[in-house]
């Protein structure tokens, strides 16, 4: 009877681990898709020239380092130097669940290859989906392009 009890415990443990990994995978998948939707809205608004429309996509953590007015000026300069966005495609992504000085939640890093009219760029977004609820917000954004250095 000890062997049967042990086998039952082992099967229960496996079932629990499997259920937890499914829940975790669902969390990763939903965090990634919510973050991609956020970036799609960013690219659509920037492509249309509606730069002020992107401001609500960024979280308070982002605006601690760069004010909204500074960010608009930066986006205007990027558009002037690189041209209008032609297309974007997801190059890589990463999802981490952690607690740090930026907050507690799911952190999603999305890196896009972006074709602008004049130069290509790579844009990396760090997005936080807080454990406490609320929507995902961009807390970090890096734009790399040789076009930003040449002109």
């Amino acid at each position: 009877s000890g062997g049967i009890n042990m086998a039952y415990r082992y099967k229960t443990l496996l079932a629990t681990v499997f259920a937890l990994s499914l829940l975790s995978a669902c969390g990763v998948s939903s965090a990634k898709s919510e973050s991609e939707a956020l970036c799609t809205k960013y690219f659509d608004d920037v492509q249309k020239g509606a730069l002020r429309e992107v401001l609500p996509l960024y979280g308070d953590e982002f605006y601690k380092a760069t004010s909204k007015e500074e960010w608009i000026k930066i986006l205007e300069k990027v558009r002037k130097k690189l041209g209008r966005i032609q297309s974007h495609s997801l190059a890589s992504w990463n999802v981490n669940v952690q607690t740090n000085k930026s907050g507690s939640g799911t952190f999603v890093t999305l890196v896009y290859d972006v074709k602008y009219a004049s130069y290509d760029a790579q844009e990396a977004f760090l997005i936080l989906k807080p454990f406490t609820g609320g929507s995902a917000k961009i807390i970090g954004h890096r734009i790399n392009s040789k076009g930003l250095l040449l002109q």
Side-chain angles (χ1 to χ4, degrees):
S1 95
I4 293 172
N5 191 19
M6 187 60 120
Y8 174 77
R9 280 194 212 158
Y10 184 69
K11 285 180 182 176
T12 303
L13 176 65
L14 282 178
T16 304
V17 168
F18 180 71
L20 287 174
S21 64
L22 280 178
L23 285 173
S24 176
C26 289
V28 165
S29 179
S30 70
K32 180 181 176 267
S33 56
E34 186 176 346
S35 297
E36 283 184 275
L38 192 68
C39 290
T40 297
K41 176 154 178 36
Y42 165 83
F43 286 119
D44 289 348
D45 288 343
V46 170
Q47 190 171 29
K48 291 185 290 194
L51 300 182
R52 293 213 171 268
E53 296 295 314
V54 304
L55 295 177
L57 305 177
Y58 293 82
D60 293 338
E61 298 85 354
F62 183 85
Y63 292 123
K64 286 178 187 170
T66 306
S67 74
K68 291 179 180 183
E69 292 307 313
E70 287 173 324
W71 188 236
I72 289 292
K73 287 178 185 172
I74 290 168
L75 291 175
E76 287 169 346
K77 286 181 181 179
V78 167
R79 186 180 173 123
K80 185 177 179 183
K81 288 185 171 198
L82 304 183
R84 288 178 57 119
I85 292 176
Q86 307 296 306
S87 65
H88 66 279
S89 62
L90 185 62
S92 66
W93 61 277
N94 187 21
V95 178
N96 286 302
V97 177
Q98 57 183 299
T99 300
N100 63 35
K101 65 181 181 185
S102 296
S104 299
T106 304
F107 291 81
V108 180
T109 303
L110 300 175
V111 179
Y112 287 88
D113 291 328
V114 185
K115 177 142 185 56
Y116 284 86
S118 301
Y119 294 95
D120 291 345
Q122 191 167 70
E123 297 195 34
F125 297 85
L126 178 59
I127 297 157
L128 171 60
K129 171 74 174 166
F131 288 143
T132 56
S135 58
K137 297 286 186 181
I138 300 167
I139 62 168
H141 186 172
R142 188 181 68 241
I143 303 169
N144 290 325
S145 174
K146 71 177 183 181
L148 295 174
L149 301 174
L150 293 176
Q151 298 178 339

